[in-house]
Amino acid sequence: MAVDAYRWMMAGPDQPMVKVPMDLRAPEAGEVLVEIAGCGVCHTDLDYFYNGVPTKHPLPLALGHEISGRVVGAGAGVESWMGKAVIIPAVIPCGACDLCRRGKQTICRSQKMPGYDIQGGFATHIMVPSTGLCEVDEDRLDAVGLTLPEVSVIADAVTTPYQAAIQAGIGTDSLVIVIGIGGLGGYSVQVAAALGAKVVAITSKTDPGMIADIKSSGASLVLNLKDFPGMREVKKEIGAFAKAEGLRSTEWIIMECSGSIQGQQNAFDLMVHGSTICVVGYIMKTGEFRLSNLMAYHARALGNWGCSPDLYPGALDLVLSGRIDVKNFVECRPLDSINETFVAVHDHKLSRRAVMVPVRALV
């Protein structure tokens, strides 16, 4: 296939990524070749690049797992995908094992994560199994004023909190507390509000623009930890809010999205009887928590690895129906600026989630 194809490869921790040409082969049975429209920069990518978190695929490796694009090649048995706009799951299950057949795709032992198990999305093209692809209705995409690169973030930043919300049972009578209002936290607020919950956002950030964005995205109450002497007072404030809104003083759903030890501790401190703690953020460090509180409060803590492809259409529908705002929370950048963009994201100089876009897709 005679096209200009390349990847930006990571050779080692904190070393500049290098642009490397790709040879595009024909897809095998069950595979598709996707021309990438956009790939979001996730905190996990930064962990691989800056913090020495190992990848399963040996280096050099193209990172990136929030991928949207168009199928330009299809192997035997999956020809129907040809030409379709798609979102690639951040975690691709095999679809055939016992776990997948029982609906436990996120713990499939043969799963493939772009940018971790296989070459990722900071490239012009990617070859992936067709399992779990999510088709994007481009008429609806146009109608809501979005582009295909912009919805790449659905593959993780939106679907990960969406799955957490679904498995926690968030609904119209729920009080949801979101800890951390960065990328995952911002979308967690939107997801919970879209599902009908009253949302309290917890942050230590003081950026007025970010606070305004979170309020406009569905947070009924935003509490800054710097305004309180401790979590006891924060919990009391949330209790007063729940009473004023006619919500229960029990069964609060707490979504920990900061990916920090302090955020995890705050989640435990806000626990009430029947609480559900959703561990959405990720951190390598180890904390100490009184797990017996789960017993005493008859509460539960739920992990959340990626998102089952079965849930992608529901998350996409929330975006295409306008109930979740993606456009105002992403910033498209040329793929060839990837090294500069990683520095900017790492140094917290971007207020929106960066999406790396091959130049041809920017036109």
Side-chain angles (χ1 to χ4, degrees), residues 153-178:
V153 297
I154 290 176
D156 189 5
V158 176
T159 50
T160 295
Y162 180 72
Q163 175 172 262
I166 295 299
Q167 67 181 10
I170 291 176
T172 54
D173 60 348
S174 300
L175 172 60
V176 175
I177 302 165
V178 176

Side-chain angles (χ1 to χ4, degrees), residues 157 176-190 199-225 255-260 263 266 280-281 328-329 348 350-353:
V176 175
I177 302 165
V178 176
I179 299 175
I181 59 172
L184 277 178
Y187 284 116
S188 294
V189 168
Q190 291 202 62
V199 184
V200 177
I202 305 291
T203 184
S204 58
K205 297 182 183 295
T206 56
D207 182 346
M210 182 175 286
I211 301 299
D213 285 343
I214 290 300
K215 287 182 177 179
S216 66
S217 297
S220 298
L221 178 66
V222 179
L223 299 179
N224 194 307
L225 295 177
M255 303 183 76
E256 203 304 291
C257 302
S258 71
S260 68
N266 292 344
V280 186
N328 291 313
F329 290 88
H348 305 287
L350 299 184
S351 59
R352 299 181 177 189
R353 198 173 189 88

Side-chain angles (χ1 to χ4, degrees), residues 42-44 46-48 51 53-54 184 256-265 279-289 304-305:
C42 177
H43 186 273
T44 304
L46 300 186
D47 278 337
Y48 298 144
N51 301 329
V53 175
L184 277 178
E256 203 304 291
C257 302
S258 71
S260 68
I261 296 301
Q262 188 59 59
Q264 293 174 353
Q265 182 62 63
V279 183
V280 186
Y282 172 78
I283 189 172
M284 285 285 287
K285 296 179 181 178
T286 302
E288 293 184 10
F289 310 105
N304 193 80
W305 174 247

Side-chain angles (χ1 to χ4, degrees), residues 175 177 235 238-239 248-254 267-277 293-294 296-300:
L175 172 60
I177 302 165
K235 189 174 183 178
I238 296 172
R248 300 185 187 96
S249 60
T250 60
E251 301 158 78
W252 296 352
I253 297 172
I254 305 162
F268 269 75
D269 290 343
L270 291 175
M271 196 186 307
V272 294
H273 289 90
S275 274
T276 297
I277 295 177
N293 282 9
L294 292 171
Y297 282 111
H298 201 96
R300 59 179 181 163

Side-chain angles (χ1 to χ4, degrees), residues 48 54-58 61-64 113-120 305:
Y48 298 144
T55 57
K56 190 171 182 180
H57 188 289
L61 174 69
L63 302 177
M113 180 178 178
Y116 176 76
D117 295 291
I118 60 176
Q119 296 293 344
W305 174 247

Side-chain angles (χ1 to χ4, degrees), residues 72-145:
V72 294
V78 294
E79 295 89 348
S80 62
W81 283 106
M82 191 66 183
K84 291 184 177 179
V86 297
I87 295 169
I88 299 172
V91 180
I92 308 169
C94 75
C97 69
D98 173 67
L99 289 166
C100 287
R101 290 196 301 270
R102 291 190 290 116
K104 298 181 179 293
Q105 296 96 328
T106 55
I107 58 171
C108 168
R109 304 327 302 142
S110 298
Q111 63 184 226
K112 304 294 182 187
M113 180 178 178
Y116 176 76
D117 295 291
I118 60 176
Q119 296 293 344
F122 296 138
T124 58
H125 298 76
I126 186 170
M127 189 80 72
V128 292
S130 64
T131 309
L133 288 176
C134 179
E135 183 177 359
V136 178
D137 185 330
E138 293 185 271
D139 289 336
R140 293 187 68 192
L141 194 68
D142 291 340
V144 77

